[in-house]
Amino acid sequence: MRTTTPTTPTTFRDAATAVRNLGILAHVDAGKTTLTERVLYATGAIHKRGEVHEGTTVTDFDTQERDRGITIFAAAVSCAWDGHRINLIDTPGHVDFSDEVERSLRVLDGAVAVFDAVAGVEPQSESVWRQADRHGVPRIAFVNKMDRVGADLDAAVASLRERLHVVPLVVQLPIGREDGFTGVVDLVRMRALVWGAGQDTCRVSAVPDELREEARLRRRLLDEQVAELHPAALDEYCATSELSADTLAGALRELTRGGEGVVVLCGTAYRNRGVEPLLDAIVAYLPAPADMPPVRGTLGAAGQERRPDPAAPFAALAFKVNATATGRLTCLRVYSGTMSKGDTVLDAGTGRTERIGRILRVQADRHAEVERAVAGDIVAVVGLKTTRAGSTLCAPDAPLVLEPPTAAAPVVSVAVEARIAADTGRLATALARLVEEDPSLVLRTDPETGQTVLSGMGELHLEVAVEKIRRSHGLGIEVGRPRVAYRETVASGVSGLVYRHVKQDGGAGQFAHVVIDVEPLDGEGFEFRSTVVGGRVPQEFVRAVEAGCRDALVEGPLGGHPVTGLRVTLTDGATHSKDSSEMAFRAAGRFGLREALRAGVMELLEPVVEVVVTVPDDAVGGVLGDLAARRGRVSGSAARTGTTVITAAVPLAELFGYASRLRSRTQGRGTFTARPTGYAPVPAALTRETLSA
């Protein structure tokens, strides 16, 4: 245990080895933000501890975060411990903001996963763990809230083994239970770390007599676990039947960085117990930028690697953009080279050059200006005009494109419009800035309904986005469900419908006589043909009739929806030597088809999407029942390890609110994707209800 005063940040020359870039991952309310606050306090970065329930924490600085008591936006902070700089990102725990976690994990070298000592592995902690798996991010686990009633380290560790399928390597033994939790036994160094009442630092002492035998047994179990996984440790264990502290620490470091085991620590962040050992573990076990494999990028059609060397060509990835009223703040992870104030860099994706204005060391909503950043650093830059999240910035003479973070497809949409028509332009600007900051939000204008539709990862996600516009720009916004784009089609057509268009109001008149058949067409679309013989309708008038029919397809007789899935055949007609014209036959085609549609039997069509739902095995029954209630037709299912993938066709109108419903039924572990597949008839029993709505 190191009890020295936190040191100043590392110099640029050793940044690749003396920096730790990590994130804090967990389920909602596991204590991520409180732990981050205690880390900043223990390292001397702040001098007063903030509290989530008081809205005084450093990383939850946004007004909505403080009002709601949850982390919404990933916030970066920087601190120093034992000669190392720790760049830490406090990530959201709510499933609606998982894209913030995804973008953060893309640029991190390690992570601390926080678990509740009572609840163990919770649904969203399982989800973020899988996200970290995809990025290959090494992790250590911190079992928090050991002072709660019902706290059980062994049960929490068992849930890690069973739910996450990992090998937990427990390096601490709690001293005291629940409210009596006062410290831990460090099983690596075999010593006690005890926090007294009201003390912010621990006291190092011998292992208490009553815990000595249990500590010895647990240390032996830890030695055996490590020896099974680490060849060098196995050699020493076979020779001496135990592992030295240095051998054990070295093996734990290699197992953590290789992802073969997860070091587990415990404590209570709220009472400031267990934070310093966690900081020591971060420095000892999680990788530095120099320990990571070279970052891979593309240069034209070829691949290329860049090592975290300050002397190498510059390459950095933008992972977050804050479009503030005073300018754009772009967060970067520098992978190679050196970036200085005033440098000109290339946005490899767009081919445009950007000038580095100021370089800032980020402390949530506060910043400290620095002259340069080197490989391994996470900093913010002022002055970039067009760089977006996911853009690669590089040296102009050494272009490189790094893989951007992947953005999940949005699953929930709302229609937004300004309450006052005069604010429409301001709303469009605010929405554009919002989407620039958060790539998981998608903005579009429905070409049929004309609505502005905002799509996101969940109902809370959209609620937060809309509220941000209201507060930041003072705009009144109306929010509602987007209208579903229905269609109308012909269920039973008509034959030989005669329509005469005659108009005489002085001067040249209008005359057109058409006879048409209307019948259903397999699939969507419109087909027009002419069987007129003998030149009774000249070809130029036939084209005018077709154009008129297409005009009539814009609004159907049922509810004014576009008409599709029909074939119109012009079978006969007549002309007038003076009054017939293309305009007259176009009008005849339009009004004639409208009359034919009213005379036939029409059917309402609704958009249908193919939904692929991934759910835990224990929730399959409830999900299938819910899909059936939404008029879904299941077309297949496939079993995977612990999960089932269900494929179904569901009417789009029935999917509103489905994301929240699915998460409720699966405790947040269910996910789904949807893609349009076409249109299907609305059941007759629902047609009248749909039209009246």
Side-chain angles (χ1 to χ4, degrees):
M1 176 68 195
R2 301 176 180 86
T3 56
T4 58
T5 303
T7 60
T8 57
T10 57
T11 64
F12 289 107
R13 288 175 296 178
D14 61 2
T17 57
V19 167
R20 299 293 184 271
N21 295 314
L22 65 135
I24 306 293
L25 313 174
H27 187 86
V28 175
D29 203 33
K32 299 181 308 301
T33 301
T34 300
L35 178 61
T36 303
E37 195 75 10
R38 299 306 185 262
V39 165
L40 295 176
Y41 182 75
T43 57
I46 60 175
H47 303 289
K48 182 180 179 181
R49 292 173 294 185
E51 304 294 348
V52 173
H53 60 274
E54 295 176 358
T56 55
T57 59
V58 171
T59 53
D60 282 358
F61 58 87
D62 186 84
T63 306
Q64 289 199 71
E65 292 179 312
R66 293 181 172 179
D67 289 349
R68 298 173 187 270
I70 62 171
T71 300
I72 295 173
F73 309 106
V77 292
S78 184
C79 57
W81 181 258
D82 193 46
H84 295 73
R85 181 190 298 131
I86 298 176
N87 295 321
L88 189 152
I89 297 180
D90 178 22
T91 65
H94 196 284
V95 65
D96 279 18
F97 308 103
S98 58
D99 203 66
E100 286 273 332
V101 181
E102 187 76 17
R103 292 197 299 275
S104 299
L105 286 171
R106 172 62 182 83
V107 299
L108 295 174
D109 301 326
V112 175
V114 182
F115 301 93
D116 189 308
V118 178
V121 176
E122 297 176 90
Q124 184 58 12
S125 52
E126 184 177 348
S127 297
V128 296
W129 189 274
R130 302 301 179 208
Q131 286 180 282
D133 280 343
R134 290 197 300 272
H135 289 276
V137 175
R139 280 140 284 171
I140 60 178
F142 182 73
V143 179
N144 192 27
K145 302 187 179 183
M146 289 295 296
D147 57 333
R148 282 187 61 191
V149 174
D152 189 333
L153 176 62
D154 291 337
V157 170
S159 71
L160 264 69
R161 186 181 297 108
E162 295 165 6
R163 294 281 294 275
L164 303 181
H165 308 291
V166 299
V167 179
L169 304 172
V170 184
V171 298
Q172 292 178 342
L173 170 66
I175 299 176
R177 291 180 57 83
E178 298 177 350
D179 195 54
F181 173 78
T182 58
V184 296
V185 174
D186 177 3
L187 297 177
V188 177
R189 304 293 176 185
M190 291 303 289
R191 59 187 178 174
L193 308 174
V194 181
W195 288 263
Q199 293 183 348
D200 291 331
T201 58
C202 69
R203 174 173 52 85
V204 181
S205 63
V207 178
D209 293 341
E210 65 273 16
L211 293 176
R212 191 165 296 160
E213 181 60 21
E214 184 178 0
R216 186 186 66 80
L217 292 174
R218 290 191 179 236
R219 168 58 187 269
R220 184 171 184 82
L221 176 62
L222 178 62
D223 286 349
E224 291 174 353
Q225 286 181 297
V226 171
E228 289 179 0
L229 299 170
H230 194 278
L234 178 61
D235 292 341
E236 181 174 321
Y237 187 78
C238 291
T240 63
S241 298
E242 63 180 1
L243 299 178
S244 66
D246 290 340
T247 298
L248 179 57
L252 289 172
R253 178 170 55 252
E254 293 182 19
L255 292 173
T256 298
R257 295 176 182 181
E260 300 166 272
V262 177
V263 171
V264 181
L265 302 96
C266 64
T268 168
Y270 181 70
R271 296 194 179 186
N272 211 39
R273 296 172 184 174
V275 178
E276 297 97 323
L278 176 62
L279 285 164
D280 289 340
I282 289 170
V283 170
Y285 305 134
L286 290 179
D291 300 318
M292 302 299 292
V295 65
R296 291 190 59 83
T298 56
L299 179 59
Q304 193 175 87
E305 293 184 345
R306 294 275 174 89
R307 299 193 62 82
D309 182 357
F314 172 70
L317 183 69
F319 66 95
K320 188 175 178 65
V321 175
N322 287 330
T324 65
T326 57
R328 301 171 79 254
L329 194 67
T330 307
C331 294
L332 303 176
R333 163 66 192 268
V334 183
Y335 283 99
S336 67
T338 301
M339 175 181 65
S340 300
K341 180 180 178 181
D343 283 353
T344 297
V345 297
L346 174 70
D347 185 332
T350 63
R352 299 177 179 175
T353 57
E354 297 264 28
R355 185 178 181 277
I356 304 299
R358 292 186 296 154
I359 304 173
L360 307 175
R361 185 79 60 203
V362 180
Q363 197 79 347
D365 60 337
R366 299 187 295 273
H367 315 98
E369 189 167 349
V370 296
E371 290 300 313
R372 57 178 178 164
V374 299
D377 273 332
I378 292 179
V379 293
V381 173
V382 178
L384 304 182
K385 296 180 180 179
T386 60
T387 300
R388 300 288 186 264
S391 298
T392 300
L393 298 180
C394 56
D397 57 349
L400 182 76
V401 177
L402 301 175
E403 181 184 356
T406 56
V411 297
V412 179
S413 302
V414 293
V416 293
E417 62 180 17
R419 188 170 297 165
I420 302 174
D423 288 340
T424 301
R426 290 177 59 207
L427 176 61
T429 301
L431 287 170
R433 178 178 294 177
L434 188 70
V435 172
E436 181 183 350
E437 290 186 356
D438 187 352
S440 62
L441 290 170
V442 175
L443 186 66
R444 64 182 176 87
T445 301
D446 191 305
E448 296 178 5
T449 65
Q451 290 179 301
T452 298
V453 179
L454 184 66
S455 304
M457 302 306 297
E459 293 174 5
L460 179 60
H461 186 205
L462 294 177
E463 182 183 327
V464 167
V466 170
E467 186 62 25
K468 186 174 184 179
I469 292 178
R470 285 182 175 139
R471 296 189 182 194
S472 300
H473 301 272
L475 288 170
I477 305 176
E478 296 291 345
V479 179
R481 289 191 355 172
R483 293 190 293 270
V484 171
Y486 289 99
R487 296 283 191 273
E488 297 177 26
T489 192
V490 176
S492 177
V494 296
S495 298
L497 184 132
V498 178
Y499 186 83
R500 290 169 59 87
H501 178 70
V502 180
K503 187 175 181 181
Q504 190 71 48
D505 53 2
Q510 294 184 24
F511 177 88
H513 175 95
V514 296
V515 181
I516 59 175
D517 295 344
V518 178
E519 58 186 324
L521 179 68
D522 290 337
E524 299 177 29
F526 168 71
E527 184 178 307
F528 180 88
R529 64 184 182 179
S530 172
T531 60
V532 178
V533 295
R536 292 178 60 79
V537 180
Q539 190 60 39
E540 63 270 22
F541 292 167
V542 172
R543 290 194 294 267
V545 174
E546 179 181 356
C549 290
R550 292 187 182 276
D551 293 340
L553 299 178
V554 175
E555 294 184 0
L558 288 180
H561 306 290
V563 182
T564 187
L566 74 160
R567 177 188 293 115
V568 175
T569 304
L570 178 63
T571 60
D572 200 2
T575 62
H576 186 276
S577 59
K578 293 183 178 180
D579 293 343
S580 291
S581 64
E582 291 186 15
M583 181 186 299
F585 273 90
R586 182 165 184 163
R590 180 170 65 253
F591 296 120
L593 180 55
R594 286 182 181 175
E595 188 172 307
L597 294 178
R598 287 193 292 267
V601 178
M602 299 297 294
E603 194 171 45
L604 189 66
L605 300 177
E606 60 183 347
V608 175
V609 297
E610 181 186 71
V611 179
V612 180
V613 191
T614 303
V615 297
D617 288 339
D618 57 4
V620 171
V623 170
L624 288 173
D626 189 47
L627 286 173
R630 295 174 185 270
R631 299 190 284 125
R633 299 189 304 277
V634 176
S635 58
S637 64
R640 296 178 182 171
T641 305
T643 61
T644 299
V645 180
I646 303 168
T647 304
V650 184
L652 178 61
E654 300 289 350
L655 277 184
F656 294 118
Y658 183 63
S660 298
R661 185 66 172 171
L662 177 63
R663 289 165 184 165
S664 173
R665 286 186 174 276
T666 63
Q667 294 183 307
R669 293 179 289 164
T671 59
F672 81 97
T673 59
R675 67 177 185 88
T677 59
Y679 283 79
V682 176
L686 296 176
T687 297
R688 180 173 297 177
E689 177 184 337
T690 303
L691 292 173
S692 62

